[in-house]
Amino acid sequence: MKEIYKDPILYFTDENTENKGERVGGFIFNYVPPTPDIHVHVNKPLKGFSTFQEAEKHDTKIRFTVGFMFDEKDEDLRQKQTTQFLDFRKRYNEWFWFEDEFGILFKGKIVKKFDIKVPEQFEGVTYYIDIELLCPCGLDGWPKETKDEVDVSGA
């Protein structure tokens, strides 16, 4: 059976349940599938070759752009789209859920990148936000049963 490509989706985290909440709105493009965030520690002795510390686990990073378009004809729709954009912009430091094209869920925070761009030819109509999401889980996604075992407090 042929799989149909599914667009990735970004969600807020529900404040009450800490699970996947409402959709962020906008659309995702310039999407790079989840990759391991590899940081290999190297020890370089004065004499001899480098030795590497083997990592047991790696976080996952996901890079993409969220686009928000504002309707020029329907004022009610434009107001809804504006509210979605402003809500996302002010909640940038919260936890987000990301569902990739295979339906795998990742939970992470925006790090390093939150660049808002307004293309000159679409000024006031389109906003793009380049994002890097860092997720404290492997490429197999956020653990369902072991939620309590994953320390996301940063402590």
Side-chain angles (χ1 to χ4, degrees):
M1 181 175 192
K2 187 177 179 181
E3 287 290 321
I4 298 174
Y5 179 81
K6 193 174 139 195
D7 287 330
I9 304 170
L10 187 63
Y11 298 92
F12 291 112
T13 296
D14 184 278
E15 295 173 9
N16 300 319
T17 65
E18 296 296 314
N19 291 320
K20 182 173 76 171
E22 64 181 283
R23 286 180 71 155
V24 166
F27 57 94
I28 292 176
F29 66 105
N30 290 342
Y31 165 65
V32 177
T35 58
D37 188 32
I38 301 173
H39 293 284
V40 177
H41 296 283
V42 178
N43 294 321
K44 180 69 176 157
L46 292 175
K47 295 181 177 181
F49 298 108
S50 296
T51 57
F52 298 96
Q53 178 181 351
E54 293 296 323
E56 291 182 24
K57 297 180 180 180
H58 294 287
D59 292 334
T60 298
K61 66 182 172 186
I62 308 169
R63 293 183 181 143
F64 57 94
T65 302
V66 176
F68 290 89
M69 297 183 78
F70 307 109
D71 194 284
E72 294 183 37
K73 296 178 177 128
D74 185 342
E75 188 57 38
D76 291 336
L77 180 57
R78 183 179 181 84
Q79 187 59 43
K80 179 184 175 200
Q81 293 166 329
T82 302
T83 301
Q84 286 178 331
F85 169 74
L86 293 174
D87 191 36
F88 178 66
R89 188 177 70 174
K90 75 178 180 190
R91 295 173 69 178
Y92 70 92
N93 60 342
E94 295 183 11
W95 286 93
F96 290 91
W97 289 88
F98 185 89
E99 186 174 351
D100 74 1
E101 67 272 30
F102 301 108
I104 299 173
L105 280 173
F106 298 89
K107 184 179 181 181
K109 285 207 165 228
I110 296 172
V111 295
K112 297 182 187 174
K113 236 180 165 181
F114 190 82
D115 300 331
I116 299 177
K117 298 176 182 169
V118 181
E120 194 173 302
Q121 67 271 30
F122 300 117
E123 197 167 326
V125 178
T126 305
Y127 286 73
Y128 300 143
I129 306 173
D130 292 331
I131 291 175
E132 182 174 315
L133 197 67
L134 184 64
C135 308
C137 62
L139 291 173
D140 52 350
W142 189 258
K144 292 178 180 79
E145 298 83 26
T146 60
K147 178 181 174 187
D148 297 331
E149 294 176 18
V150 179
D151 179 18
V152 296
S153 66

